[in-house]
Amino acid sequence: LASDCLLFGGLISTYLIYKNRPGTIPGLAGSPVKISSLFNIPFTSMTSFILLMSSLTMVLAVSAAQARDIKKAKTWLMVTALLGATFVGGQVFEFTEFYRNGMSLRTNVSSSIFYVATGLHGLHVTVGIIWLLSLWGMAMQGKFSQKDSEAVEVSGLYWHFVDVVWIVIFAVVYLIP
């Protein structure tokens, strides 16, 4: 988590340095357009809320695993994974819309760092989903011990970390002009 803090700290700092660099987005009549004008804040707010709700379901999964309630732990692990997948799906949709509007990885420095920072975050969420699904699979096979409840707790720390990182990215990239 410490190395990821450094990674995302560097990416967010780089975005702040380059976010107002000039550049045009082809397909919009060649006029200079700020990338932020393409953002759909209500949509991204909804997907952000979904990701934040997954932190609640992760807390419930950890609590159930610690109480050795495997049935509830399985349920909450799956719900958390599905909420995470919904967030990633929303991010893919958003990236597709940006690309259709002429914003690509190579449009300008600002768009490049936007895609790298948000894309790496999406990759981290995807890794978390795979982790949660593997824990769920172990629980489904009856291979769940006290040691595995600690694994659920560690995965919960990771999951909360990616949620906190998204709060910072969302605030810095989408909300602060």
Side-chain angles (χ1 to χ4, degrees):
L1 293 180
S3 63
D4 276 343
C5 281
L6 293 173
L7 172 69
F8 283 106
L11 290 170
I12 291 166
S13 298
T14 304
Y15 180 81
L16 287 170
I17 292 167
Y18 290 107
K19 75 178 185 174
N20 291 319
R21 292 290 169 111
T24 60
I25 299 176
L28 294 175
S31 62
V33 173
K34 286 189 176 182
I35 290 171
S36 60
S37 67
L38 297 176
F39 294 157
N40 182 343
I41 301 297
F43 178 79
T44 309
S45 296
M46 179 192 65
T47 59
S48 298
F49 178 75
I50 289 168
L51 187 64
L52 292 177
M53 288 309 299
S54 74
S55 265
L56 170 64
T57 60
M58 189 68 226
V59 167
L60 295 171
V62 169
S63 178
Q66 289 172 339
R68 305 282 302 139
D69 187 343
I70 306 304
K71 184 177 179 182
K72 283 185 182 176
K74 289 188 295 190
T75 300
W76 292 121
L77 285 169
M78 181 55 76
V79 170
T80 304
L82 290 172
L83 290 171
T86 302
F87 171 81
V88 171
Q91 196 171 32
V92 168
F93 172 78
E94 186 176 48
F95 281 15
T96 303
E97 287 299 305
F98 293 155
Y99 187 77
R100 283 185 187 148
N101 284 302
M103 181 177 134
S104 74
L105 189 61
R106 298 185 330 182
T107 300
N108 59 26
V109 176
S110 183
S111 69
S112 296
I113 193 63
F114 167 82
Y115 277 117
V116 170
T118 58
L120 272 175
H121 177 266
L123 178 64
H124 278 74
V125 174
T126 303
V127 166
I129 292 166
I130 293 166
W131 191 352
L132 294 172
L133 291 175
S134 67
L135 290 170
W136 177 82
M138 287 173 49
M140 289 299 288
Q141 294 174 356
K143 299 178 182 176
F144 206 83
S145 65
Q146 184 62 33
K147 180 183 168 193
D148 296 317
S149 70
E150 291 175 19
V152 174
E153 187 172 350
V154 172
S155 69
L157 291 173
Y158 176 85
W159 195 259
H160 295 312
F161 172 78
V162 296
D163 281 2
V164 169
V165 167
W166 182 252
I167 291 169
V168 174
I169 289 174
F170 181 66
V172 168
V173 173
Y174 288 85
L175 300 179
I176 297 174

